[in-house]
Amino acid sequence: MKCLAIIPARSGSKGLPDKNIKNLNGKPLMYYTIKAALDSKCFEEVMVSTDSNRYAEIAKECGAKVPFLRSEATAGDGAGTWDTVREVLNEYRKLGKEFDYVTVLQPTSPLRDDVDIVRAFEQLREGYVNNVVSIVSVEHPVQWCFRLPENGMLDEFAQSPYNNVRRQDLEKHYRENGAIYIVDAKKIMDDNYNFYADKCFGYIMRPDKSVDIDTELDFMIAEKVYANILKWD
């Protein structure tokens, strides 16, 4: 399989400005995702999709390719990840390069490492799945969640059959953690393609490696986990 790793890193970020290049333990945030992709040896090419020349130079210094910058259409807040993927694949076609699979690796998931990427690809190579998405168990049981009306009263929770049930007795649920998406490169070119419905495998990651950085607090947590638990170079 010819696989392309796309690391989307546009410069605009309202919640945490310049988060994709913000220093995490002395290195730009995107460095950790680039390193994990390169170390996995799963890809023909590891590229960063960005709208910024500054980001592009940092990405290249970290070892990634940046053969072109994003267009204005995919650089704004309204553009989705898959719009960016389709644009990247189209640009590579113009360069005479085709890929069987594309993997999206968000730079805001810096604690996902090469081992996770390799294990996700192992599932794909088993032959009975078409796509792979990384997931993590939900920290608190969803059965304990409830809606809060305007009056602030906990009537819905009071009526729940689960409010006195122990955590270990409740069925476990999972969510996407945003770290790894492996998708058929040809199928994803269809705007209406639902990769979740096409034999999509959920690769379970550890909670400590599933930190997704959106806020300053997330960043602080990632720093602590990196420094005290993972500690890779």
Side-chain angles (χ1 to χ4, degrees):
M1 295 187 298
K2 291 183 66 176
C3 304
L4 170 69
I6 299 177
I7 301 170
R10 69 185 182 90
S11 57
S13 176
K14 295 177 181 177
L16 188 59
D18 280 329
K19 64 182 178 183
N20 289 317
I21 59 171
K22 184 176 171 67
N23 271 356
L24 174 69
N25 283 70
K27 295 204 175 3
L29 187 65
M30 69 168 70
Y31 162 83
Y32 299 95
T33 295
I34 294 171
K35 182 179 188 299
L38 293 172
D39 288 350
S40 75
K41 303 190 186 310
C42 290
F43 306 105
E44 295 290 318
E45 188 152 317
V46 175
M47 71 89 65
V48 168
S49 172
T50 183
D51 58 323
S52 164
N53 283 307
R54 179 186 175 203
Y55 280 32
E57 288 305 311
I58 293 172
K60 292 174 186 176
E61 290 171 5
C62 293
K65 301 287 182 66
V66 189
F68 41 78
L69 294 181
R70 284 195 196 189
S71 67
E72 289 185 11
T74 59
D77 292 338
T81 298
W82 301 116
D83 296 321
T84 300
V85 168
R86 294 182 189 105
E87 179 180 77
V88 167
L89 290 174
N90 277 326
E91 290 298 320
Y92 269 108
R93 282 180 180 174
K94 294 176 185 177
L95 298 175
K97 293 184 177 181
E98 299 269 358
F99 300 93
D100 299 306
Y101 276 85
V102 59
T103 300
V104 176
L105 302 170
Q106 303 279 6
T108 47
S109 297
L111 307 183
R112 162 255 296 110
D113 58 19
D114 59 305
V115 175
D116 290 309
I117 296 171
V118 169
R119 287 177 177 169
F121 266 99
E122 285 173 354
Q123 299 300 327
L124 193 70
R125 293 189 177 102
E126 290 291 325
Y128 63 92
V129 302
N130 293 333
N131 305 305
V132 180
V133 175
S134 59
I135 60 176
V136 65
S137 59
V138 177
E139 181 181 8
H140 299 292
V142 297
Q143 296 92 334
W144 288 352
C145 296
F146 56 90
R147 291 166 296 183
L148 188 67
E150 290 184 6
N151 64 11
M153 303 304 290
L154 304 185
D155 294 339
E156 185 172 297
F157 185 64
Q159 297 167 13
S160 170
Y162 303 110
N163 59 6
N164 289 316
V165 179
R166 299 183 308 166
R167 176 200 300 267
Q168 57 266 40
D169 293 332
L170 293 171
E171 185 178 6
K172 187 173 288 190
H173 287 73
Y174 297 85
R175 63 172 177 81
E176 290 178 291
N177 66 358
I180 304 171
Y181 295 85
I182 308 175
V183 184
D184 186 297
K186 292 181 176 60
K187 291 180 179 179
I188 199 62
M189 294 304 292
D190 179 354
D191 291 354
N192 297 314
Y193 176 57
N194 183 352
F195 63 91
Y196 295 108
D198 187 18
K199 296 181 181 178
C200 186
F201 183 86
Y203 167 65
I204 302 173
M205 283 179 54
R206 287 173 13 205
D208 61 330
K209 297 172 75 176
S210 296
V211 178
D212 184 15
I213 297 177
D214 283 320
T215 66
E216 188 68 44
L217 177 59
D218 295 333
F219 203 92
M220 293 168 62
I221 292 170
E223 283 187 312
K224 289 296 183 183
V225 173
Y226 172 84
N228 297 301
I229 299 178
L230 302 179
K231 300 180 181 178
W232 65 72
D233 293 328

